[in-house]
Amino acid sequence: LGVRWMPKRSSLTPPDNILQVDIISTMKLSLASIALLAASASAFTTSPAGHVSTRLAVAPGETKASEKVVQAFADKPEEDPEFDALVKSNFPGAINNRDLATRVVELLEEKGFDPSNTLLATSLCADELARVLEDEFVSIYGNNFNLGGLSGFPFAGNTGWGAMSAHVPDNGFCLTIHGPHVGITKEGQIGKVERSGIALVDTCCGSAVAASNYLKGITDGSANINPRIQQFTDFQQGAVQELILPFGKRLARADERMRELPYALYDSQEVMVTDIVNSGKASIKQGLAVLGGIQINTAPDQLDYFHPLRFDYYDADGNLVENMLPYLR
């Protein structure tokens, strides 16, 4: 038989192919370890000054609020110049929601507000049309804490504000938006609006118009005063009717009652909002911006509008630092 002689290998010496595998495996393991360490280090990178985040920077970077504005309005209709002039002739100082969001976000980004460190809080009417403005800002900053009720009054009160303050991100900010709303049709009728899926041109704001009619009945001497105005089954509307009582003469003398109504409501609400903010502004962690004004709801194929009447910035100690309203006009 032909027997081929092979040199005997020591039992302590591994075969060459095993050595090659071990060397390659060790190199791969070292490279993987370096990559893992690099990834771990990048996850804990600090945010730029003024933009403190309580989350790990695992993503390459969060979308800026100004970029989210573009996304939020990507599917919205373009401004109609003829309708734009109609709205502004009735509500001088009003701007469409796209321009409002763009200007507000630019101003707040300079102060450190971004989607990761900002809580949105709104005091707007319960009407679904009031959700348009709210949803646009939610798409920019994230979740909303609802402080409002009928006609936009801040019925959550001091208790609601205190709860909201506790939900602001650590070292973060709060943007509060408040105000009543009013409708305007394509033909320029104020206090009415076209609604999606409804053929009838409907009242807007229903709560405000009901309160106005109640007040008109009192000033005309034809109303039956309801001694159960604060019954729990409709206490918000009862409160709206009481809170608008001081504006009876003002509305009676107005050239256009429905146009003046939201401004009377705003002045009434501003007393409550100012009291609530002054009581709790120091509980906001880094800074507070308060945007107040009139929502102007329009037909589904038009941009909504907003007449800004207040835009204040408070620091972490609750001091009023800047009136930013001129930058919105």
Side-chain angles (χ1 to χ4, degrees):
L1 297 175
V3 179
R4 187 178 177 183
W5 179 82
M6 297 290 289
K8 187 176 180 181
R9 185 183 294 271
S10 170
S11 60
L12 298 177
T13 305
D16 292 340
N17 63 332
I18 294 178
L19 283 171
Q20 293 173 356
V21 171
D22 286 346
I23 292 170
I24 293 171
S25 299
T26 302
M27 292 175 65
K28 288 183 176 179
L29 180 60
S30 299
L31 291 172
S33 300
I34 293 170
L36 179 60
L37 288 170
S40 300
S42 64
F44 289 91
T45 53
T46 57
S47 302
H51 295 264
V52 180
S53 174
T54 57
R55 294 183 287 178
L56 296 179
V58 177
E62 301 241 2
T63 304
K64 292 176 61 179
S66 53
E67 295 171 354
K68 289 195 172 189
V69 172
V70 177
Q71 298 171 3
F73 288 89
D75 297 327
K76 298 283 185 175
E78 292 300 316
E79 182 183 279
D80 179 342
E82 185 176 345
F83 185 69
D84 180 72
L86 176 66
V87 172
K88 291 177 179 177
S89 67
N90 284 283
F91 300 97
I95 57 177
N96 69 58
N97 283 12
R98 179 185 282 117
D99 290 344
L100 174 74
T102 300
R103 297 177 196 179
V104 166
V105 166
E106 286 177 353
L107 288 165
L108 295 185
E109 276 188 336
E110 295 175 1
K111 299 189 180 301
F113 288 66
D114 65 45
S116 68
N117 68 7
T118 302
L119 176 64
L120 175 68
T122 61
S123 182
L124 305 170
C125 186
D127 193 317
E128 74 276 6
L129 292 183
R131 307 282 76 74
V132 175
L133 177 69
E134 183 179 287
D135 289 345
E136 288 163 353
F137 275 89
V138 164
S139 67
I140 298 166
Y141 288 111
N143 294 331
N144 170 62
F145 192 107
N146 181 27
L147 298 166
L150 291 181
S151 289
F153 280 91
F155 287 118
N158 299 103
T159 299
W161 182 273
M164 179 276 293
S165 300
H167 300 172
V168 174
D170 294 339
N171 297 319
F173 301 84
C174 174
L175 167 60
T176 298
I177 304 175
H178 73 92
H181 70 127
V182 63
I184 183 171
T185 67
K186 291 180 178 180
E187 289 71 36
Q189 184 179 5
I190 301 173
K192 300 279 188 179
V193 73
E194 300 90 348
R195 294 178 185 262
S196 180
I198 301 176
L200 179 68
V201 176
D202 195 26
T203 300
C204 178
C205 161
S207 169
V209 172
S212 173
N213 291 339
Y214 174 79
L215 179 57
K216 189 174 185 298
I218 293 175
T219 55
D220 291 348
S222 61
N224 294 319
I225 304 300
N226 180 8
R228 300 175 61 210
I229 196 169
Q230 290 289 16
Q231 59 184 331
F232 280 104
T233 54
D234 203 15
F235 80 94
Q236 284 196 15
Q237 184 60 26
V240 173
Q241 292 174 182
E242 286 193 22
L243 290 165
I244 202 176
L245 285 176
F247 301 92
K249 288 184 178 180
R250 172 176 165 181
L251 291 174
R253 294 170 179 169
D255 294 333
E256 172 58 72
R257 188 181 182 94
M258 287 298 101
R259 181 167 52 214
E260 187 65 24
L261 177 59
Y263 293 97
L265 287 166
Y266 177 84
D267 289 343
S268 180
Q269 291 174 20
E270 183 67 7
V271 175
M272 292 180 65
V273 170
T274 299
D275 181 69
I276 292 169
V277 169
N278 286 342
S279 298
K281 61 189 177 183
S283 61
I284 300 297
K285 296 166 184 174
Q286 185 67 23
L288 166 68
V290 179
L291 172 63
I294 311 296
Q295 281 193 86
I296 303 164
N297 299 126
T298 67
D301 60 347
Q302 298 287 345
L303 286 169
D304 273 5
Y305 284 72
F306 190 84
H307 185 187
L309 300 172
R310 172 185 184 179
F311 193 28
D312 293 332
Y313 177 68
Y314 299 85
D315 64 16
D317 296 320
N319 301 311
L320 177 60
V321 175
E322 185 178 3
N323 170 21
M324 301 184 289
L325 185 60
Y327 301 110
L328 299 183
R329 293 173 172 168

